[in-house]
Amino acid sequence: MTKPVNASRLFVASCLALLVTSLTFALRAKIEGVFHDSYGLSREEIGWAFGPAFWGFAVATFLGGAIIDQVKTRNVLRIAFVCHLVGLIVLLFAKDKTLLFAANVFIGFANGSVEAACNPLVTTLFPDDKTKMLNRFHVWFPGGIVVGGLLSWLLVSQFNLPWQVLAAALFVPLALYGWLFFGETVPETERVTSGVSYRDMFRNTGAPCTIIALVGFMILATSTPITIDFGATVTWIVLALALVAIVVESLVVNKTSLLFPFMVFCMFLTASTELGTNQFTGALLDKTGIDPLIVLVVVTGIMALGRYFAGPLVHRLSTVGVLLASAIISAIGLYLYSMASGTDATLFAAIVFAVGVCYFWPTMLGFVSEYLPKTGALGLSVLGGAGMVGTSFVLPIMGHSIDTAGPQQTLRFMTVLPVILIVAFALLAVYLRGRRTHDGEQS
């Protein structure tokens, strides 16, 4: 006889799996300086070696979202556990960019498998509170970075233990989430239970073939010596052709809207704004007079609290309203970061930035789950994967900019991303208002 679904246990296990994911981000933020100072890697080489943590995530989320209903959620979670285990073991022996790269391949694939499995699992467990519970689930991403930051301060800074001890600490929550998932009944995804066909799931993502091809090229560009010159005419011709392909595949072939491809574009920018900045906290704030670890803990601590209490805010402002407000505040926060030169100014900028990026990731997922439910697990996975690919694409660019132009100029460059998002989310709000008006007139 099949065991009944234990929603509470599955949610706790999902949160612990995401905790391990976030602890790997905190760990990378700490060892970035170690590999630069002790092992002689340049910031650009570190950005390259960190890249698989993001595009590996994307590969796993794309693949997991496409096949999760065939291989079942529980098996995707088993893959996540094994890859986390292997990745952490390889990382313990890494002292050069090659092993660091290899470790991040496994870790990125594990993190992506967690995202591919747990996002649709949470929406299935809590169908009436999707955005609220996705925000609470994603508390453990910034929450884990806070835990990782404090562990880093205690073990490495205070007790002078090697960074490998910090990495080994991740085996504890890894073992816990493996144990909690083991033997539990994991339900089918919402797409399956609602009767949406596999073909319709793909069709409702608008342009799945073009999006996957574009993301694949971005992964190739970040993992090989390919150099993309944005000053060259051919680059813009290729981008224009990609845009035309998305429009044709969405409107002509699949006869659906461009809303999902538009959200993928926005996810490139929201994730890069949040994760790109946080990943290089040490280098960006090296000469501001404040310990970057303190800033990282402040930023992620505020993000965790904000996400936990996201329900009333989403109810008051609407999903799109939260995204627009987040873009505005993020732009202000990054600009203040770029101008900060002392402890007080840097902390104030960090607080503003944290409030800005706090709701980006879970609210983007919540928007797709609420407004585009027929995209199913694939929609959530493609969106999450796009965010990580966008970040992996930005990281080497940021690393090169920090090495050549300096941290403050890099932060000014990053401010462009939320500025674009302000325009994008304002247009999205106008579009949705027009669609509601049209639907009301038809009814």
Side-chain angles (χ1 to χ4, degrees), residues 84-382:
H84 267 144
L85 182 63
V86 173
L88 287 173
I89 291 172
V90 173
L91 182 61
L92 288 173
F93 294 96
K95 290 186 178 180
D96 56 37
K97 67 178 182 180
T98 303
L99 273 184
L100 184 61
F101 182 94
N104 279 307
V105 170
F106 283 102
I107 290 171
F109 201 85
N111 293 346
S113 299
V114 168
E115 189 83 3
C118 293
N119 280 321
L121 177 59
V122 170
T123 61
T124 301
L125 294 173
F126 306 100
D128 298 325
D129 287 305
K130 293 178 183 177
T131 300
K132 174 185 172 182
M133 295 310 293
L134 279 170
N135 266 284
R136 288 198 172 179
F137 167 56
H138 281 276
V139 161
W140 292 97
F141 189 84
I145 294 176
V146 172
V147 172
L150 293 175
L151 278 175
S152 174
W153 173 80
L154 181 66
L155 297 176
V156 180
S157 300
Q158 297 302 306
F159 293 159
N160 294 318
L161 296 174
W163 66 267
Q164 287 89 345
V165 175
L166 178 63
L170 274 65
F171 288 111
V172 176
L174 174 61
L176 283 174
Y177 93 69
W179 173 69
L180 285 171
F181 275 126
F182 182 77
E184 288 299 307
T185 299
V186 180
E188 297 278 8
T189 65
E190 188 180 29
R191 194 274 301 175
V192 173
T193 57
S194 62
V196 177
S197 71
Y198 192 70
R199 180 178 180 180
D200 279 347
M201 178 179 72
F202 269 86
R203 189 180 69 81
N204 279 282
T205 59
C209 295
T210 307
I211 290 172
I212 290 172
L214 181 61
V215 169
F217 173 76
M218 292 175 70
I219 291 173
L220 182 66
T222 58
S223 56
T224 61
I226 292 175
T227 300
I228 299 176
D229 182 7
F230 286 99
T233 304
V234 67
T235 301
W236 293 101
I237 291 174
V238 171
L239 288 174
L241 289 173
L243 180 60
V244 170
I246 288 171
V247 171
V248 170
E249 188 180 358
S250 297
L251 301 183
V252 179
V253 178
N254 290 323
K255 294 180 173 61
T256 187
S257 76
L258 291 167
L259 184 55
F260 185 79
F262 177 80
M263 295 308 293
V264 170
F265 166 75
C266 291
M267 193 66 167
F268 283 143
L269 304 183
T270 58
S272 297
T273 300
E274 175 191 342
L275 300 178
T277 306
N278 284 341
Q279 200 64 60
F280 269 123
T281 298
L284 290 169
L285 304 179
D286 189 37
K287 297 179 180 179
T288 58
I290 186 171
D291 187 345
L293 180 61
I294 294 174
V295 174
L296 187 63
V297 169
V298 168
V299 168
T300 51
I302 292 171
M303 288 172 65
L305 287 173
R307 288 179 180 180
Y308 186 81
F309 296 105
L313 184 65
V314 173
H315 179 72
R316 181 179 294 271
L317 291 181
S318 82
T319 306
V320 180
V322 171
L323 290 171
L324 178 57
S326 296
I328 293 169
I329 298 170
S330 297
I332 295 170
L334 278 175
Y335 179 76
L336 291 175
Y337 253 154
S338 73
M339 302 296 290
S341 58
T343 301
D344 293 341
T346 303
L347 272 179
F348 179 71
I351 291 169
V352 175
F353 176 73
V355 172
V357 298
C358 172
Y359 302 107
F360 268 154
W361 192 282
T363 307
M364 289 288 289
L365 296 174
F367 177 92
V368 168
S369 185
E370 289 179 9
Y371 287 87
L372 297 162
K374 291 183 179 180
T375 60
L378 180 66
L380 294 176
S381 296
V382 167

Side-chain angles (χ1 to χ4, degrees), residues 3-146:
K3 289 176 63 177
V5 173
N6 188 337
S8 297
R9 180 174 175 132
L10 290 176
F11 184 71
V12 170
S14 299
C15 292
L16 283 169
L18 188 61
L19 174 64
V20 175
T21 295
S22 64
L23 284 171
T24 65
F25 279 78
L27 178 61
R28 277 194 302 276
K30 181 63 180 177
I31 66 175
E32 177 252 321
V34 175
F35 276 81
H36 177 68
D37 298 333
S38 301
Y39 301 145
L41 272 65
S42 70
R43 304 288 186 192
E44 189 171 2
E45 287 175 323
I46 293 169
W48 175 81
F50 281 177
F54 297 92
W55 61 252
F57 182 108
V59 170
T61 52
F62 274 70
L63 186 61
I67 66 172
I68 192 169
D69 295 321
Q70 281 67 44
V71 302
K72 305 303 180 186
T73 304
R74 64 178 179 273
N75 290 322
V76 176
L77 290 166
R78 288 169 181 166
I79 292 170
F81 178 84
V82 171
C83 287
H84 267 144
L85 182 63
V86 173
L88 287 173
I89 291 172
V90 173
L91 182 61
L92 288 173
F93 294 96
K95 290 186 178 180
D96 56 37
K97 67 178 182 180
T98 303
L99 273 184
L100 184 61
F101 182 94
N104 279 307
V105 170
F106 283 102
I107 290 171
F109 201 85
N111 293 346
S113 299
V114 168
E115 189 83 3
C118 293
N119 280 321
L121 177 59
V122 170
T123 61
T124 301
L125 294 173
F126 306 100
D128 298 325
D129 287 305
K130 293 178 183 177
T131 300
K132 174 185 172 182
M133 295 310 293
L134 279 170
N135 266 284
R136 288 198 172 179
F137 167 56
H138 281 276
V139 161
W140 292 97
F141 189 84
I145 294 176
V146 172

